[in-house]
């Protein structure tokens, strides 16, 4: 018997519980097959609990979550709750309080998945975005003056310090060294691209750019460094996604470009991400929302949640199990599903979970 992992599960709102159940089904199949153990503890944080109790993610819960090996999250967002409350109160609070300073978002097109980009396939769409996850416009630095008057001023600042930038870059360089295209045997070089806006954000991205080249020159001379402005990044992600290997960027740009990336890999039915604290507890989530209109119908695609769980296994160090789950997902996308879209898969949510779990168990 290998290690036993204590996993906190937050199924959350909308279709979150449905997709999380399938991720757990596959996790159990991997547990049996690869001989590690999982102990699951479920938490009901989300819109329903907020409506009942007014509580989002209490400080005591943050302290509890700290003790787990990992957290698996379904979705946060409820149609009856004003936008921002649950997102800030649960998702962003967990990211900030648990210092999950990396948001890792693979942009990987699996075989059989329809891609909206002309003439692009799995060989071309195969990169990851390392999004900084604790700074930037997300810190809430700013405020209003003269609110409610015609002279009202609103300020919201992009905030970064050198420490935050350096630790994110360190993670990105290490990631490129370990999982870059050369390391994986699919390219000639391991490349790290900084996505910024040095022509306008001449303070924040100047800091990023200097830190990037300093660290690269000193510590990672074998990793090729590239720089793209964020607007150009969007263009190349559509026109020449094969140029990318590992992209590192700030929180706001990372949020935006990863939705673009997600749609090129088949959309919210398949895109997953990890909020990672390399020294602490990380949290994995499908990046699509709670999809209220599909809730309870058994039609939502659980592959994104399964892929989030797969990233969790990889981060926990269960690489073999992670590889097997990824292989099973690829089998299902290439041989089974008709579409990644809710209601169009040709299978129900739980049938898709069964297909992946059975393949893992084989
Ligand atoms: C994401 C989401 C969140 C973010 C929202 C829900 C606060 O869009 O995980 O990308 O902006 O980070
Ligand atoms: Mn987003």
């Amino acid at each position: 018997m290998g290690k036993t992992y204590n996993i906190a599960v937050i199924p959350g709102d909308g279709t979150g519980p449905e997709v999380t159940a399938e991720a757990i089904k596959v996790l159990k199949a991997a547990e049996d097959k690869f001989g590690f153990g999982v102990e699951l503890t479920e938490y009901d944080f989300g819109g329903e609990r907020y409506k009942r109790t007014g509580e989002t993610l209490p400080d005591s819960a943050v302290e509890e979550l700290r003790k787990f090996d990992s957290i698996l999250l379904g979705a946060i967002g409820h149609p009856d709750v004003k936008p921002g409350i649950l997102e800030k109160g649960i998702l962003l609070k967990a990211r900030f309080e648990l210092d999950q300073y990396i948001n890792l978002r693979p942009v990987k097109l699996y075989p059989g998945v329809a891609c909206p980009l002309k003439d692009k396939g799995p060989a071309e769409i195969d990169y990851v975005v390392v999004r900084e996850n604790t700074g930037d416009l997300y810190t809430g630095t700013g405020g209003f003056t003269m609110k409610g008057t015609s002279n009202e001023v609103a300020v919201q600042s992009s905030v970064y310090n050198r420490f935050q930038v350096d630790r994110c870059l360190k993670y990105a360089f290490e990631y490129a060294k370990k999982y870059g295209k050369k390391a994986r045997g699919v390219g000639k070089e391991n490349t790290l691209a900084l996505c910024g806006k040095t022509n306008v954000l001449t303070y924040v991205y100047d800091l990023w750019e200097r830190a990037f080249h300093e660290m690269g020159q000193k510590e990672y001379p074998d990793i090729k460094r590239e720089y793209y402005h964020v607007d150009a990044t969007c263009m190349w992600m559509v026109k020449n996604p094969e140029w990318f290997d590992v992209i590192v960027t700030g929180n706001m740009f990372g949020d935006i470009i990863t939705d673009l990336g997600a749609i090129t890999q088949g959309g919210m039915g398949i895109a997953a991400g990890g909020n990672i604290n390399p020294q602490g507890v990380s949290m994995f989530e499908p990046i699509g929302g709670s999809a209220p209109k599909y809730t309870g119908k058994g039609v939502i695609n659980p592959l994104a949640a399964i892929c989030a769980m797969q990233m969790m296994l990889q981060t926990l160090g269960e690489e073999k199990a992670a590889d097997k789950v990824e292989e099973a997902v690829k089998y299902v996308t290439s041989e089974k599903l008709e579409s990644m879209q809710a209601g169009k898969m040709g299978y129900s949510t739980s049938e898709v979970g069964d297909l992946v779990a059975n393949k893992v168990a084989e």
Side-chain angles (χ1 to χ4, degrees):
M1 187 78 183
K3 279 193 197 163
T4 293
Y5 300 101
N6 288 308
I7 312 290
V9 181
I10 307 176
D13 300 318
T15 50
E18 293 167 61
V19 296
T20 304
E22 302 313 312
I24 288 171
K25 189 189 278 176
V26 178
L27 176 61
K28 299 240 156 157
E31 178 186 19
D32 292 343
K33 174 94 184 174
F34 290 91
F36 59 88
V38 287
E39 292 257 1
L40 305 176
T41 307
E42 200 171 305
Y43 291 91
D44 68 348
F45 301 115
E48 290 301 330
R49 178 176 171 135
Y50 174 75
K51 280 172 64 187
R52 228 172 37 241
T53 66
E55 220 168 37
T56 48
L57 183 67
D59 294 339
S60 60
V62 173
E63 292 318 308
E64 272 185 53
L65 289 175
R66 256 183 233 292
K67 297 180 194 133
F68 286 90
D69 293 304
S70 202
I71 304 166
L72 198 58
L73 177 74
I76 297 294
H78 195 292
D80 303 344
V81 182
K82 195 176 152 218
I85 294 178
L86 301 171
E87 292 85 343
K88 273 195 175 164
I90 301 177
L91 188 61
L92 298 181
K93 182 163 177 179
R95 288 178 183 171
F96 277 71
E97 294 291 320
L98 299 172
D99 208 16
Q100 293 164 339
Y101 61 86
I102 299 297
N103 196 323
L104 185 67
R105 298 195 163 178
V107 181
K108 199 165 183 176
L109 181 69
Y110 284 137
V113 177
C115 172
L117 304 183
K118 188 164 165 272
D119 302 330
K120 301 294 175 189
E124 284 78 30
I125 301 175
D126 181 13
Y127 57 97
V128 320
V129 178
V130 175
R131 164 187 173 189
E132 201 289 329
N133 213 27
T134 60
D136 210 342
L137 291 157
Y138 281 73
T139 56
T141 306
F144 300 108
T145 47
M146 294 173 280
K147 194 172 180 186
T149 73
S150 56
N151 284 318
E152 176 169 346
V153 177
V155 177
Q156 199 138 13
S157 304
S158 168
V159 179
Y160 269 116
N161 66 37
R162 182 70 192 242
F163 165 76
Q164 282 175 307
V165 171
D166 276 340
R167 69 180 181 173
C168 177
L169 289 171
K170 180 100 206 157
Y171 182 91
F173 276 115
E174 287 294 326
Y175 194 93
K177 191 167 152 186
K178 195 164 171 203
Y179 299 111
K181 285 190 167 169
K182 184 177 178 197
R184 289 187 289 126
V186 297
K188 288 201 199 78
E189 277 157 325
N190 294 326
T191 307
L192 181 63
L194 173 64
C195 163
K197 188 73 185 171
T198 52
N199 52 348
V200 176
L201 303 181
T202 49
Y203 306 127
V204 165
Y205 279 99
D206 185 77
L207 168 59
W208 274 89
E209 196 180 33
R210 279 182 283 117
F212 175 64
H213 289 302
E214 262 176 49
M215 189 179 288
Q217 257 159 25
K218 260 195 227 146
E219 298 175 48
Y220 302 95
D222 298 340
I223 296 176
K224 187 175 171 208
R225 270 169 281 136
E226 290 179 342
Y227 171 82
Y228 299 92
H229 293 321
V230 62
D231 43 357
T233 305
C234 292
M235 195 169 71
W236 301 126
M237 280 170 70
V238 171
K239 189 165 183 293
N240 294 105
E242 64 279 5
W243 287 358
F244 295 116
D245 185 356
V246 182
I247 300 176
V248 63
T249 190
N251 205 349
M252 190 74 258
F253 293 164
D255 177 48
I256 297 166
I257 69 169
T258 54
D259 266 28
L260 174 57
I263 210 70
T264 67
Q265 67 177 122
M268 293 306 174
I270 185 96
N275 301 279
I276 295 176
N277 176 340
Q279 291 83 33
V281 53
S282 301
M283 177 170 78
F284 299 85
E285 53 175 338
I287 79 172
S290 55
K293 76 173 179 186
Y294 296 119
T295 301
K297 299 199 168 121
V299 297
I300 194 81
N301 190 342
L303 287 181
I306 292 168
C307 289
M309 186 281 292
Q310 188 269 346
M311 292 180 74
M312 178 178 89
L313 288 175
Q314 191 174 48
T315 309
L316 287 170
E318 294 293 334
E319 303 257 359
K320 276 195 186 137
D323 289 349
K324 182 78 188 183
V325 172
E326 185 173 31
E327 219 178 87
V329 169
K330 282 186 186 168
Y331 159 76
V332 169
T333 59
S334 63
E335 309 284 329
K336 298 288 176 184
L337 294 206
E338 285 161 26
S339 161
M340 293 303 115
Q341 288 179 41
K344 297 183 183 162
M345 299 185 289
Y347 297 89
S348 70
T349 302
S350 76
E351 284 170 345
V352 175
D354 290 340
L355 286 169
V356 182
N358 292 339
K359 192 72 188 172
V360 168
E362 251 176 29

